[in-house]
Amino acid sequence: MNIIELLTDLASGTNSIIRSTSSKFNLTASQGFHLLSIPFNGIPMSGLANKLGLDNSTLTRNIQKLEKNELVQRFPDRYDRRVQIVKLTPKGASLLELLEGALEKISDNLIDQIDLDTQEHLVTVLEKLSWALDLRRSES
């Protein structure tokens, strides 16, 4: 298998896990991805759109649904009022904690299926891959 095939398989598997886990909390996969992508201190809408690979209008519609469910709020940036910052509400943060906990259990089960030598290098390799993907995304 080449790297693209492996990344596609990895993305499909990850999407499946996030989809099924999100549904246990009455979230769509998209909503789960959105919540998982919002840092504790918030993120500009444009940064979140870039991170998720969405255009601004699609992200706005998605965020409006999360706002309606009281999971996120938007605030103007204190330095540039034109920039909207998305932050989790306390309800959203609580739900995210539950979602991350469920995903962590699945992650632990997956890791248990990998030999110890590979486990030692896995986090480093995934961090480097994530960094490379972020770099590519920022160049687009």
Side-chain angles (χ1 to χ4, degrees):
M1 287 185 118
N2 67 37
I3 191 77
I4 296 301
E5 289 172 330
L6 291 169
L7 287 173
T8 300
D9 286 349
L10 186 61
S12 295
T14 304
N15 286 339
S16 175
I17 290 168
I18 291 175
R19 180 176 292 106
S20 64
T21 305
S22 295
S23 71
K24 293 176 183 174
F25 298 100
N26 296 317
L27 296 170
T28 65
S30 178
Q31 291 170 331
F33 274 112
H34 283 58
L35 293 179
L36 289 164
S37 299
I38 299 172
F40 177 75
N41 59 342
I43 187 171
M45 288 281 286
S46 59
L48 185 58
N50 185 45
K51 187 173 187 176
L52 293 169
L54 299 172
D55 61 53
N56 289 332
S57 61
T58 300
L59 178 66
T60 298
R61 283 191 305 276
N62 294 348
I63 291 298
Q64 287 171 341
K65 291 176 186 174
L66 292 171
E67 283 178 318
K68 186 176 179 180
N69 291 325
E70 300 176 346
L71 299 175
V72 300
Q73 288 181 303
R74 283 183 284 178
F75 301 93
D77 182 79
R78 66 175 133 172
Y79 301 109
D80 185 347
R81 308 291 281 166
R82 298 169 297 174
V83 175
Q84 291 287 304
I85 305 294
V86 181
K87 291 186 179 183
L88 297 170
T89 63
K91 180 180 175 181
S94 294
L95 184 58
L96 177 60
E97 189 175 321
L98 294 171
L99 178 61
E100 287 178 330
L103 291 169
E104 187 72 31
K105 286 180 185 177
I106 294 168
S107 175
D108 290 344
N109 289 333
L110 292 171
I111 292 296
D112 288 344
Q113 297 176 38
I114 299 172
D115 64 88
L116 291 175
D117 288 338
T118 303
Q119 285 181 32
E120 288 181 21
H121 301 288
L122 183 60
V123 171
T124 301
V125 171
L126 290 174
E127 285 175 344
K128 288 180 180 184
L129 180 59
S130 180
W131 177 82
L133 290 168
D134 284 346
L135 182 62
R136 182 184 182 301
R137 191 174 19 223
S138 69
E139 292 172 351
S140 298

